[in-house]
Amino acid sequence: MNKLSIIIKDVYKKNVKSAAFVIMILAPFLVMGIFYLSQHFFGDANEINKIGIVSDQPAVAKQLAETKNKDYTFKAVASDKTAQKQLADKKIDAYLKLQSSEDKISGKLYSRASLGTSTEMALQQILSSMQTTLRASHLNLTTAQVQNVMEPAEFKATKVSFENGKMTSAEGDSGTQFVFSFLTTIVMFVFIMSYSSIIAQEIASEKGTRIMEVLLSSMKAKTHYYGKLLGVLLVALTQLLIYGAALVVGYRQFKDLPMVNDLLATVSLKTLFGSNVLIIAGFMLVGIFLYAVLSALCGSLVSKPEDTAKAIQPVMYLSMIGYMLGLILGTSDPTNMIIKVTSYIPFLSSYSMPIRLASGTTTIASAFISLGILVLFTGVLTIFSAQLYKSNVLVYSEGGTLSALKQSIAIMRNNRKKQIS
C-alpha cells in the first residue's frame, strides 16, 4: 500500500501542477465569461446594418423601408443595377430583391458574404408577415380575423405517475431529471475525451523510456498499474470537485437574481436527491471509470509514448458513438429499439440508460440491472487489464496494438499454465 500511495501521489501532483490541467479548469469559465461579455456589451451589435430593397412594386419597397427594426435599416433602391453598385461600394451591406404578385411575395438576398441564419430567418419572417397582410387585404379580412386564423393550436405533453391508483403529474421532476441526464452525458463525454489520452500516456510513458525494468524490481506490475490509473482518476475527481465548489459559490452569488429564483421554483429537493438522479450520477461515474480502464489497457499495449494517440482511437470512437446515440437519438426518440438495446451494453449504457430513465421509458429496476451489468463488466475489465499489464509491461512489439494484445494474451496464458503446473 505504501508503494501504491507513492505512485498515486507522484501521478497526482505531476498532473495537477501541469499547465494542461490549469487550462482544463479555466476553459469553461473563460468560455462563459466571453459569452457573457459578448451578450452584455455587444449583444445588440450587428455588422449588417443597412439592407437595400429592390422591388418591381415601389410601394412594397417603400413599405418595407418604413418598417422599424432595431437590428436593420432598410433602404429603397431604384433598380437592381443601382443596388449592385451600392453593394460594391459598401454603401449597403446587402440588398433584397422582391417580386410581388396579387397574393405572393418572394425575395432573394444578395450579399458579399454569408449573413448567417439569424439574419436570414428575420428577413423570412418579415416577408411572411407582409405576405399575410397582402392576402388578408385581398380576402377583406380584418387584423383581428387574421390573428384569429393564424393562432396556433394549444398542445402540451405531461408525464404522469400513479400512486395508489391515483394519477399525478410528474412534469417538474421529469424536466429536471432530463436536464440532469443531458448534462451528465456531456460531462462524461468531455472527461473521457480529456483524460483518455492522459491515462494512456501515463501508463505508456515509463514503458517507452525502458525504465520499467528498474521499477518492477521494487514493486509489482499490478501496483504500478493501479497507482497510475488511480492517480489520474483522482485528478479527474479534483476537477469535478472544483466545478462543484464553483457551482456553490455561483449559487450564493447569484441566488437573488429573478432568473435563478424562477429556475429553483421548478426544482424540488425530492427531485435533486431522488433515486433517479443518484442512479444517473452513478452511471456517469462508473462510465468514466470504465473508459479510463480501457484507455489504460490501450496505453499498456504501446511500445513508444508517441504511439499513444493511435492506441486510444478505439476509445474515442466508442465514446463518440455512445454520445451521439444518447444525445441525438435518445433525446428525440427514447423508445427506439436501438436505445433500448444499447442501454444494457457496457460502454454505451452510460449514455443511453440515463436518457431513458429521465424520459420515463424504463423502470428503476431496469436501470439497476443495467448499472449492475456495467459495474460487473467494469470490475472484470479492470482485473483483466491489470493481469494483461503484468504480461505485456516488458513486451515491446513493433506490429501495432492488435499484435501486442495477441502477444500479451499468449504470455498471460503461458504464465497461468506454469502456475498451475
Side-chain angles (χ1 to χ4, degrees), residues 186-359:
I186 296 175
V187 170
M188 186 170 69
F189 180 74
V190 171
F191 268 67
I192 290 169
M193 292 294 105
S194 302
Y195 284 96
S196 291
S197 59
I198 297 176
I199 292 174
Q201 190 74 27
E202 280 290 340
I203 298 295
S205 58
E206 290 169 356
K207 179 181 177 181
T209 54
R210 302 300 177 97
I211 63 171
M212 189 60 68
E213 293 87 348
V214 179
L215 291 173
L216 294 185
S217 63
S218 59
M219 70 176 67
K220 295 180 180 180
K222 289 183 180 180
T223 302
H224 182 265
Y225 175 81
Y226 286 130
K228 291 284 188 179
L229 180 60
L230 293 175
V232 178
L233 287 175
L234 280 178
V235 176
L237 182 60
T238 301
Q239 186 174 356
L240 280 175
L241 292 176
I242 291 174
Y243 288 156
L247 187 62
V248 172
V249 173
Y251 166 74
R252 292 182 177 179
Q253 186 72 25
F254 303 107
K255 64 180 180 180
D256 296 328
L257 293 178
M259 181 179 67
V260 177
N261 290 328
D262 293 340
L263 178 63
L264 294 178
T266 62
V267 180
S268 64
L269 293 177
K270 177 183 176 182
T271 304
L272 288 177
F273 300 101
S275 58
N276 284 13
V277 172
L278 295 178
I279 295 173
I280 292 171
F283 271 102
M284 182 191 72
L285 296 176
V286 178
I288 291 175
F289 185 82
L290 175 60
Y291 277 96
V293 172
L294 183 61
S295 300
L297 175 61
C298 293
S300 68
L301 296 173
V302 301
S303 300
K304 296 177 291 186
E306 53 267 26
D307 295 335
T308 306
K310 293 181 181 179
I312 63 170
Q313 282 182 351
V315 182
M316 301 293 187
Y317 292 142
L318 191 58
S319 178
M320 191 172 296
I321 290 172
Y323 178 71
M324 299 302 289
L325 283 174
L327 197 65
I328 298 176
L329 188 58
T331 53
S332 62
D333 187 11
T335 60
N336 190 284
M337 183 57 65
I338 296 176
I339 296 298
K340 290 182 179 181
V341 173
T342 56
S343 63
Y344 293 96
I345 300 176
F347 294 112
L348 303 179
S349 60
S350 299
Y351 291 104
S352 300
M353 184 55 80
I355 297 292
R356 289 190 63 203
L357 189 62
S359 60

Side-chain angles (χ1 to χ4, degrees), residues 11-255:
V11 173
Y12 180 80
K13 290 181 180 179
K14 180 176 63 177
N15 283 279
V16 168
K17 293 180 180 179
S18 66
F21 180 76
V22 176
I23 293 173
M24 281 195 299
I25 293 294
L26 295 179
F29 300 106
L30 291 174
V31 171
M32 289 188 291
I34 292 172
F35 179 78
Y36 172 78
L37 292 175
S38 64
Q39 292 296 314
H40 186 73
F41 295 104
F42 308 106
D44 297 330
N46 194 337
E47 293 184 358
I48 309 301
N49 297 317
K50 187 175 290 186
I51 298 177
I53 305 297
V54 179
S55 177
D56 52 356
Q57 295 186 17
V60 176
K62 185 178 179 181
Q63 177 186 352
L64 188 56
E66 293 174 354
T67 302
K68 294 182 179 180
N69 191 295
K70 65 177 183 179
D71 296 322
Y72 317 107
T73 300
F74 298 105
K75 175 184 177 183
V77 182
S79 65
D80 196 6
K81 185 176 181 181
T82 304
Q84 291 179 15
K85 187 175 185 306
Q86 291 184 6
L87 182 62
D89 296 337
K90 298 184 179 180
K91 293 182 179 179
I92 57 176
D93 300 307
Y95 77 90
L96 184 64
K97 187 174 181 179
L98 299 178
Q99 291 182 343
S100 307
S101 60
E102 292 184 357
D103 62 347
K104 185 177 181 181
I105 295 178
S106 59
K108 190 172 183 180
L109 185 66
Y110 295 89
S111 61
R112 299 169 65 93
S114 175
L115 304 185
T117 56
S118 59
T119 301
E120 293 173 0
M121 289 178 63
L123 294 175
Q124 176 70 46
Q125 292 176 356
I126 292 173
L127 295 184
S128 297
S129 178
M130 292 179 62
Q131 182 171 274
T132 300
T133 303
L134 181 64
R135 291 181 177 179
S137 63
H138 285 142
L139 296 173
N140 296 321
L141 297 177
T142 63
T143 303
Q145 289 173 329
V146 172
Q147 292 177 351
N148 191 31
V149 171
M150 298 296 292
E151 184 179 1
E154 290 188 6
F155 175 79
K156 185 178 180 181
T158 304
K159 180 185 173 184
V160 298
S161 61
F162 291 87
E163 295 181 3
N164 299 324
K166 186 178 179 181
M167 186 177 75
T168 58
S169 175
E171 184 63 28
D173 291 351
S174 176
T176 304
Q177 291 169 8
F178 192 82
V179 171
F180 185 78
S181 65
F182 187 81
L183 291 177
T184 54
T185 299
I186 296 175
V187 170
M188 186 170 69
F189 180 74
V190 171
F191 268 67
I192 290 169
M193 292 294 105
S194 302
Y195 284 96
S196 291
S197 59
I198 297 176
I199 292 174
Q201 190 74 27
E202 280 290 340
I203 298 295
S205 58
E206 290 169 356
K207 179 181 177 181
T209 54
R210 302 300 177 97
I211 63 171
M212 189 60 68
E213 293 87 348
V214 179
L215 291 173
L216 294 185
S217 63
S218 59
M219 70 176 67
K220 295 180 180 180
K222 289 183 180 180
T223 302
H224 182 265
Y225 175 81
Y226 286 130
K228 291 284 188 179
L229 180 60
L230 293 175
V232 178
L233 287 175
L234 280 178
V235 176
L237 182 60
T238 301
Q239 186 174 356
L240 280 175
L241 292 176
I242 291 174
Y243 288 156
L247 187 62
V248 172
V249 173
Y251 166 74
R252 292 182 177 179
Q253 186 72 25
F254 303 107
K255 64 180 180 180

